[in-house]
Amino acid sequence: MSQEPQITLQTLPLENQILPFEAEAETPTLPVQITLQLARQADKRPEPARVHFQIQTPPPNFWLPTDFPVVEGTQLLDIETALPLNGKWQLLQSLPVRGVYRLLVNVEPLLSNSFKPITRTLSLSVNENVVKFRNFAILAAFLLTCGFGGGLVIGGTSRQNSGEIAPMRVRLLLSATAVVAILALLVINFEAEFAESHTHTHTQPHQEVPFVYASGFIVEWSALTQATVGQPAAIAMHISDAKTRKPVQDIEVHVRVVQAEEGWVALAFWAKPNRDGWLRWKQGFFDGAPHRLEIEIAPDSLRSDQFKPFRFTREIDVEPVAPPLATRTIGFFYFSIFLVAGLVGGLWIRGRQTQKDISLR
Amino acid sequence: MQTSLLSLQRAGQGLGRLTLSVPIQAILYAFLCLLTVWTVYFSTFPPIHHQAHSLRHHTLAVACH
């Protein structure tokens, strides 16, 4: 009986070193390289096989949402392709949030019954970026201090003389806070108006030609030009011979999905069309901005007439989705606790001092 | 006429005292601070969202988009 093949999955960086995609990073985050290896024996070429590969994002955590809550618990990728002859298939995927991703791998033989289909569910754990914890701690400390300072000053007003219209310190405190708030809002709004506009430009849906003729092929492109964050977008292309109109299989398709404004890679993979000439995948977009699909079609090593690879691009405009109010409110609730705790602490200390003063008199 | 003016004056003084009482001052102060926090970290108003975009993405428990 022949030895059943095994599948192994490796990531680069290693699993415990993977960080989620960092939006607005100073240096663009590199996508994670996921390598799937189908192996029979160390010295033997694996059987021709087809893989169905899916990635599910981590389930939502209501009490501690991530910065991309809309894509939590959704499908990030769903693709089917024949494996390369050496059984090693690689893809690059940006992982948007922390948590445990579920990877579903299903490998079937291309030649019937050459091995039993393999189904595996794997998990991939992604740690949160430490910077976020640091910034949270800084903000919490700032809010505690603001609350505490405010409590000390406001609590001191109980010692005001009767007939005094408004204690100077209160007026000063309120005025200063109001001025800070006004300045902050002014700066934000003025910069928003006059700074070079960050363009999450919503380009008009392109009326692109759904066909590409090149090197004797016709590539028919699905009409998708728009997608929405959190909803996996179905993308498909059909490759056929321009003369015979028959589907072509002995080619390789290299796909790179790039965020068009900032140039980072959301997804990149190698694939082959199926027997009917179709290459289909579902992709979850997590950034609401235009994306560019860069596609290169090249002959595979077994093809008799080797042609020069050709490239084309397609634009997909991704509609952003604001996180639900409840998701935003939970973070706000935490910040409020820090401020109120500081405020109550300040008032309490001031109250104790006042009681001491009175008992000393 | 004089009586009504006096009662108005008293009401005004009462309101003033209430406004400057410790609980109301504390509430006003907290509201002002928290409004600023909401605006910077959670408002969906596009220009503000954009300006605070990096900060939001780099702070734990802040849902950006």
mmCIF file of all heavy atoms in Angstrom, chain A residues 62-86:
data_model
loop_
_atom_site.group_PDB
_atom_site.id
_atom_site.type_symbol
_atom_site.label_atom_id
_atom_site.label_comp_id
_atom_site.label_asym_id
_atom_site.label_seq_id
_atom_site.Cartn_x
_atom_site.Cartn_y
_atom_site.Cartn_z
ATOM 1 N N PHE A 62 -16.406 41.138 21.768
ATOM 2 C CA PHE A 62 -17.154 42.376 22.040
ATOM 3 C C PHE A 62 -16.448 43.246 23.068
ATOM 4 O O PHE A 62 -16.440 44.466 22.958
ATOM 5 C CB PHE A 62 -18.569 42.036 22.533
ATOM 6 C CG PHE A 62 -19.377 43.259 22.889
ATOM 7 C CD1 PHE A 62 -19.949 44.038 21.901
ATOM 8 C CD2 PHE A 62 -19.543 43.643 24.217
ATOM 9 C CE1 PHE A 62 -20.674 45.181 22.222
ATOM 10 C CE2 PHE A 62 -20.271 44.791 24.542
ATOM 11 C CZ PHE A 62 -20.833 45.547 23.538
ATOM 12 N N TRP A 63 -15.818 42.614 24.058
ATOM 13 C CA TRP A 63 -15.242 43.393 25.163
ATOM 14 C C TRP A 63 -13.902 44.020 24.804
ATOM 15 O O TRP A 63 -13.426 44.902 25.505
ATOM 16 C CB TRP A 63 -15.103 42.511 26.408
ATOM 17 C CG TRP A 63 -16.449 42.063 26.875
ATOM 18 C CD1 TRP A 63 -16.982 40.812 26.761
ATOM 19 C CD2 TRP A 63 -17.463 42.891 27.469
ATOM 20 N NE1 TRP A 63 -18.261 40.815 27.260
ATOM 21 C CE2 TRP A 63 -18.580 42.066 27.697
ATOM 22 C CE3 TRP A 63 -17.538 44.237 27.834
ATOM 23 C CZ2 TRP A 63 -19.759 42.546 28.265
ATOM 24 C CZ3 TRP A 63 -18.715 44.707 28.402
ATOM 25 C CH2 TRP A 63 -19.802 43.868 28.613
ATOM 26 N N LEU A 64 -13.274 43.546 23.772
ATOM 27 C CA LEU A 64 -12.008 44.167 23.363
ATOM 28 C C LEU A 64 -11.895 44.119 21.839
ATOM 29 O O LEU A 64 -11.220 43.257 21.271
ATOM 30 C CB LEU A 64 -10.819 43.440 24.026
ATOM 31 C CG LEU A 64 -9.512 44.230 24.046
ATOM 32 C CD1 LEU A 64 -9.661 45.566 24.765
ATOM 33 C CD2 LEU A 64 -8.409 43.417 24.682
ATOM 34 N N PRO A 65 -12.586 45.026 21.169
ATOM 35 C CA PRO A 65 -12.572 44.980 19.706
ATOM 36 C C PRO A 65 -11.196 45.341 19.141
ATOM 37 O O PRO A 65 -10.397 46.010 19.804
ATOM 38 C CB PRO A 65 -13.615 46.029 19.303
ATOM 39 C CG PRO A 65 -13.741 46.938 20.478
ATOM 40 C CD PRO A 65 -13.391 46.134 21.694
ATOM 41 N N THR A 66 -10.932 44.904 17.937
ATOM 42 C CA THR A 66 -9.694 45.271 17.257
ATOM 43 C C THR A 66 -9.956 46.546 16.450
ATOM 44 O O THR A 66 -11.057 47.083 16.462
ATOM 45 C CB THR A 66 -9.254 44.157 16.297
ATOM 46 O OG1 THR A 66 -10.259 44.029 15.286
ATOM 47 C CG2 THR A 66 -9.095 42.838 17.025
ATOM 48 N N ASP A 67 -8.924 47.000 15.728
ATOM 49 C CA ASP A 67 -9.111 48.226 14.943
ATOM 50 C C ASP A 67 -9.850 47.953 13.629
ATOM 51 O O ASP A 67 -10.235 48.881 12.932
ATOM 52 C CB ASP A 67 -7.778 48.956 14.696
ATOM 53 C CG ASP A 67 -6.675 48.034 14.213
ATOM 54 O OD1 ASP A 67 -6.812 46.819 14.368
ATOM 55 O OD2 ASP A 67 -5.688 48.545 13.673
ATOM 56 N N PHE A 68 -10.024 46.671 13.279
ATOM 57 C CA PHE A 68 -10.840 46.326 12.108
ATOM 58 C C PHE A 68 -11.993 45.404 12.546
ATOM 59 O O PHE A 68 -12.036 44.231 12.149
ATOM 60 C CB PHE A 68 -10.004 45.606 11.043
ATOM 61 C CG PHE A 68 -8.965 46.459 10.375
ATOM 62 C CD1 PHE A 68 -7.633 46.353 10.723
ATOM 63 C CD2 PHE A 68 -9.319 47.368 9.384
ATOM 64 C CE1 PHE A 68 -6.658 47.136 10.108
ATOM 65 C CE2 PHE A 68 -8.351 48.149 8.758
ATOM 66 C CZ PHE A 68 -7.022 48.034 9.123
ATOM 67 N N PRO A 69 -12.905 45.899 13.388
ATOM 68 C CA PRO A 69 -13.910 44.988 13.951
ATOM 69 C C PRO A 69 -14.871 44.422 12.913
ATOM 70 O O PRO A 69 -15.428 43.353 13.109
ATOM 71 C CB PRO A 69 -14.664 45.872 14.950
ATOM 72 C CG PRO A 69 -14.451 47.254 14.471
ATOM 73 C CD PRO A 69 -13.113 47.288 13.818
ATOM 74 N N VAL A 70 -15.021 45.143 11.800
ATOM 75 C CA VAL A 70 -15.993 44.707 10.792
ATOM 76 C C VAL A 70 -15.571 43.382 10.144
ATOM 77 O O VAL A 70 -16.412 42.614 9.692
ATOM 78 C CB VAL A 70 -16.182 45.822 9.729
ATOM 79 C CG1 VAL A 70 -17.201 45.416 8.685
ATOM 80 C CG2 VAL A 70 -16.625 47.111 10.398
ATOM 81 N N VAL A 71 -14.267 43.122 10.107
ATOM 82 C CA VAL A 71 -13.821 41.881 9.458
ATOM 83 C C VAL A 71 -13.613 40.727 10.446
ATOM 84 O O VAL A 71 -13.239 39.630 10.036
ATOM 85 C CB VAL A 71 -12.518 42.083 8.633
ATOM 86 C CG1 VAL A 71 -12.739 43.056 7.524
ATOM 87 C CG2 VAL A 71 -11.366 42.506 9.516
ATOM 88 N N GLU A 72 -13.865 40.980 11.731
ATOM 89 C CA GLU A 72 -13.711 39.887 12.700
ATOM 90 C C GLU A 72 -14.773 38.825 12.410
ATOM 91 O O GLU A 72 -15.942 39.151 12.189
ATOM 92 C CB GLU A 72 -13.882 40.406 14.120
ATOM 93 C CG GLU A 72 -12.756 41.321 14.563
ATOM 94 C CD GLU A 72 -13.030 41.983 15.905
ATOM 95 O OE1 GLU A 72 -14.020 41.634 16.562
ATOM 96 O OE2 GLU A 72 -12.255 42.880 16.264
ATOM 97 N N GLY A 73 -14.375 37.570 12.437
ATOM 98 C CA GLY A 73 -15.318 36.473 12.221
ATOM 99 C C GLY A 73 -15.839 36.370 10.797
ATOM 100 O O GLY A 73 -16.950 35.905 10.589
ATOM 101 N N THR A 74 -15.039 36.801 9.833
ATOM 102 C CA THR A 74 -15.476 36.702 8.430
ATOM 103 C C THR A 74 -14.464 35.859 7.636
ATOM 104 O O THR A 74 -13.411 35.480 8.144
ATOM 105 C CB THR A 74 -15.583 38.089 7.760
ATOM 106 O OG1 THR A 74 -14.294 38.704 7.780
ATOM 107 C CG2 THR A 74 -16.581 38.982 8.478
ATOM 108 N N GLN A 75 -14.806 35.642 6.389
ATOM 109 C CA GLN A 75 -13.918 34.858 5.532
ATOM 110 C C GLN A 75 -12.903 35.794 4.876
ATOM 111 O O GLN A 75 -13.281 36.764 4.228
ATOM 112 C CB GLN A 75 -14.742 34.171 4.466
ATOM 113 C CG GLN A 75 -14.004 33.079 3.762
ATOM 114 C CD GLN A 75 -14.949 32.223 2.961
ATOM 115 O OE1 GLN A 75 -15.785 32.748 2.232
ATOM 116 N NE2 GLN A 75 -14.829 30.930 3.095
ATOM 117 N N LEU A 76 -11.641 35.491 5.080
ATOM 118 C CA LEU A 76 -10.600 36.349 4.519
ATOM 119 C C LEU A 76 -10.185 35.854 3.132
ATOM 120 O O LEU A 76 -9.865 36.651 2.252
ATOM 121 C CB LEU A 76 -9.392 36.347 5.460
ATOM 122 C CG LEU A 76 -8.297 37.369 5.236
ATOM 123 C CD1 LEU A 76 -8.840 38.785 5.339
ATOM 124 C CD2 LEU A 76 -7.163 37.184 6.227
ATOM 125 N N LEU A 77 -10.208 34.547 2.959
ATOM 126 C CA LEU A 77 -9.801 33.983 1.672
ATOM 127 C C LEU A 77 -10.472 32.631 1.449
ATOM 128 O O LEU A 77 -10.641 31.849 2.387
ATOM 129 C CB LEU A 77 -8.276 33.824 1.630
ATOM 130 C CG LEU A 77 -7.680 33.292 0.329
ATOM 131 C CD1 LEU A 77 -7.874 34.286 -0.807
ATOM 132 C CD2 LEU A 77 -6.195 32.994 0.494
ATOM 133 N N ASP A 78 -10.821 32.391 0.210
ATOM 134 C CA ASP A 78 -11.369 31.082 -0.171
ATOM 135 C C ASP A 78 -10.924 30.859 -1.611
ATOM 136 O O ASP A 78 -11.363 31.574 -2.521
ATOM 137 C CB ASP A 78 -12.903 31.125 -0.069
ATOM 138 C CG ASP A 78 -13.527 29.771 -0.398
ATOM 139 O OD1 ASP A 78 -12.829 28.906 -0.962
ATOM 140 O OD2 ASP A 78 -14.715 29.599 -0.081
ATOM 141 N N ILE A 79 -10.027 29.915 -1.811
ATOM 142 C CA ILE A 79 -9.455 29.728 -3.141
ATOM 143 C C ILE A 79 -9.269 28.242 -3.439
ATOM 144 O O ILE A 79 -9.019 27.441 -2.527
ATOM 145 C CB ILE A 79 -8.109 30.491 -3.272
ATOM 146 C CG1 ILE A 79 -7.577 30.373 -4.688
ATOM 147 C CG2 ILE A 79 -7.092 30.053 -2.236
ATOM 148 C CD1 ILE A 79 -6.415 31.274 -4.980
ATOM 149 N N GLU A 80 -9.410 27.907 -4.699
ATOM 150 C CA GLU A 80 -9.150 26.534 -5.152
ATOM 151 C C GLU A 80 -8.168 26.584 -6.308
ATOM 152 O O GLU A 80 -8.345 27.388 -7.235
ATOM 153 C CB GLU A 80 -10.446 25.895 -5.653
ATOM 154 C CG GLU A 80 -11.188 25.122 -4.587
ATOM 155 C CD GLU A 80 -12.286 24.275 -5.203
ATOM 156 O OE1 GLU A 80 -11.982 23.201 -5.739
ATOM 157 O OE2 GLU A 80 -13.430 24.738 -5.136
ATOM 158 N N THR A 81 -7.166 25.743 -6.251
ATOM 159 C CA THR A 81 -6.200 25.690 -7.357
ATOM 160 C C THR A 81 -5.476 24.342 -7.351
ATOM 161 O O THR A 81 -5.424 23.660 -6.326
ATOM 162 C CB THR A 81 -5.153 26.820 -7.254
ATOM 163 O OG1 THR A 81 -4.203 26.664 -8.306
ATOM 164 C CG2 THR A 81 -4.416 26.812 -5.933
ATOM 165 N N ALA A 82 -4.928 24.011 -8.507
ATOM 166 C CA ALA A 82 -4.046 22.842 -8.556
ATOM 167 C C ALA A 82 -2.742 23.223 -7.867
ATOM 168 O O ALA A 82 -2.322 24.389 -7.900
ATOM 169 C CB ALA A 82 -3.778 22.459 -10.004
ATOM 170 N N LEU A 83 -2.124 22.276 -7.217
ATOM 171 C CA LEU A 83 -0.839 22.552 -6.574
ATOM 172 C C LEU A 83 0.273 22.502 -7.611
ATOM 173 O O LEU A 83 0.160 21.769 -8.607
ATOM 174 C CB LEU A 83 -0.565 21.503 -5.499
ATOM 175 C CG LEU A 83 -1.373 21.604 -4.205
ATOM 176 C CD1 LEU A 83 -1.065 20.415 -3.314
ATOM 177 C CD2 LEU A 83 -1.038 22.894 -3.469
ATOM 178 N N PRO A 84 1.355 23.236 -7.401
ATOM 179 C CA PRO A 84 2.511 23.094 -8.293
ATOM 180 C C PRO A 84 3.021 21.643 -8.256
ATOM 181 O O PRO A 84 2.731 20.900 -7.311
ATOM 182 C CB PRO A 84 3.540 24.047 -7.685
ATOM 183 C CG PRO A 84 2.757 24.989 -6.864
ATOM 184 C CD PRO A 84 1.559 24.256 -6.378
ATOM 185 N N LEU A 85 3.787 21.291 -9.251
ATOM 186 C CA LEU A 85 4.221 19.893 -9.372
ATOM 187 C C LEU A 85 5.043 19.413 -8.175
ATOM 188 O O LEU A 85 5.010 18.240 -7.807
ATOM 189 C CB LEU A 85 5.033 19.709 -10.664
ATOM 190 C CG LEU A 85 4.203 19.874 -11.946
ATOM 191 C CD1 LEU A 85 5.106 19.826 -13.156
ATOM 192 C CD2 LEU A 85 3.109 18.814 -12.034
ATOM 193 N N ASN A 86 5.796 20.335 -7.578
ATOM 194 C CA ASN A 86 6.592 19.924 -6.413
ATOM 195 C C ASN A 86 5.756 19.895 -5.129
ATOM 196 O O ASN A 86 6.278 19.626 -4.047
ATOM 197 C CB ASN A 86 7.820 20.823 -6.243
ATOM 198 C CG ASN A 86 7.435 22.282 -5.993
ATOM 199 O OD1 ASN A 86 6.242 22.608 -5.892
ATOM 200 N ND2 ASN A 86 8.420 23.141 -5.898
#
